[in-house]
C-alpha cells in the first residue's frame, strides 16, 4: 500500500507551522488540505483532548461564519496524534489560507464567552472542553505562524 504524504515526512525534524498535505481536484475545484502542526511531534507534549475539542469548536464556528471565506471551508478537525489540526478548503489562494489561519488563531487566543455548540444537545462530549488551555495553545502557536510564507507551506 502506498504511504500517504504526511507519513513520508520526518516527524522528528518537523516543526510547528502550516503545511500543504495534499491538493485534490474535485470537479472544477481544487480541495487543499492544510496541516496545522501546533506542537513539535515526538518532542513536545501532545495537546490534551479538552483543549483540542475547544479549538475545534471555536475554529470551525469562526471559519464557517467568515464573511469572505466561510463558503470555501470544507472541514477543520483534529489530528489523531494530537499535534495539530487538518484544515480543508476549496479554491483558496495559499496566502489567503495563511492569513485566515493567523486570524482564527488570534481570535481563539483572545476569545471570551461561551464555547459554541457546548451543550448536550449540540455536542457528543460537551463536558470535555478547556477554553483557557485552548487559548494558551493558540497563543503559543501564533509566533510560529506570524510571518509564515507560501514558500514555507511545503513539507521538507
Amino acid at each position: 500500500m502506498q504511504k500517504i504524504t504526511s507519513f513520508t515526512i520526518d516527524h522528528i525534524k518537523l516543526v510547528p507551522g502550516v503545511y500543504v498535505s495534499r491538493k485534490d481536484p474535485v470537479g472544477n475545484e481544487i480541495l487543499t488540505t492544510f496541516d496545522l502542526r501546533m506542537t513539535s511531534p515526538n518532542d513536545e507534549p501532545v495537546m490534551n483532548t479538552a483543549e483540542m475539542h475547544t479549538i475545534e469548536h471555536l475554529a470551525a464556528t469562526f471559519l464557517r461564519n467568515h464573511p469572505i471565506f466561510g463558503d470555501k471551508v470544507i472541514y477543520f478537525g483534529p489530528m489523531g496524534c494530537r499535534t495539530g489540526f487538518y484544515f480543508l478548503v476549496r479554491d483558496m489562494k495559499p496566502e489567503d489560507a495563511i492569513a485566515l489561519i493567523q486570524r482564527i488563531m488570534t481570535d481563539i487566543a483572545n476569545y471570551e464567552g461561551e464555547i459554541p455548540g457546548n451543550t448536550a444537545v449540540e455536542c457528543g462530549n460537551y463536558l470535555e472542553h478547556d477554553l483557557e488551555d485552548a487559548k494558551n495553545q493558540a497563543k503559543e502557536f501564533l509566533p510560529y505562524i506570524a510571518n509564515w510564507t507560501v514558500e514555507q507551506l511545503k513539507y521538507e
Side-chain angles (χ1 to χ4, degrees), residues 88-135:
L88 282 70
V89 297
R90 64 180 182 83
D91 286 335
M92 187 180 293
K93 294 178 186 173
E95 56 272 17
D96 289 338
I98 292 169
L100 185 56
I101 293 164
Q102 292 165 334
R103 173 80 262 148
I104 295 310
M105 288 299 154
T106 300
D107 289 348
I108 291 170
N110 297 315
Y111 186 74
E112 297 294 332
E114 296 295 317
I115 299 165
N118 191 28
T119 68
V121 171
E122 300 165 308
C123 178
N125 191 11
Y126 78 101
L127 295 175
E128 190 171 35
H129 280 279
D130 190 328
L131 180 57
E132 287 310 307
D133 281 353
K135 291 169 63 168

Side-chain angles (χ1 to χ4, degrees), residues 36-152:
L36 280 62
R37 297 285 179 169
M38 294 182 71
T39 66
S40 293
N42 304 306
D43 181 39
E44 297 178 298
V46 297
M47 289 182 277
N48 68 59
T49 306
E51 73 187 312
M52 288 193 81
H53 192 191
T54 302
I55 291 170
E56 176 197 14
H57 274 236
L58 291 170
T61 299
F62 294 161
L63 289 164
R64 291 189 181 115
N65 284 288
H66 192 277
I68 298 170
F69 298 113
D71 67 338
K72 294 184 178 293
V73 173
I74 304 298
Y75 175 75
F76 184 93
M79 293 179 171
C81 60
R82 298 189 351 230
T83 63
F85 294 86
Y86 298 111
F87 177 44
L88 282 70
V89 297
R90 64 180 182 83
D91 286 335
M92 187 180 293
K93 294 178 186 173
E95 56 272 17
D96 289 338
I98 292 169
L100 185 56
I101 293 164
Q102 292 165 334
R103 173 80 262 148
I104 295 310
M105 288 299 154
T106 300
D107 289 348
I108 291 170
N110 297 315
Y111 186 74
E112 297 294 332
E114 296 295 317
I115 299 165
N118 191 28
T119 68
V121 171
E122 300 165 308
C123 178
N125 191 11
Y126 78 101
L127 295 175
E128 190 171 35
H129 280 279
D130 190 328
L131 180 57
E132 287 310 307
D133 281 353
K135 291 169 63 168
N136 288 335
Q137 193 65 50
K139 286 175 189 171
E140 289 175 17
F141 186 50
L142 279 167
Y144 288 104
I145 63 170
N147 297 304
W148 206 257
T149 66
V150 171
E151 292 76 28
Q152 290 173 289

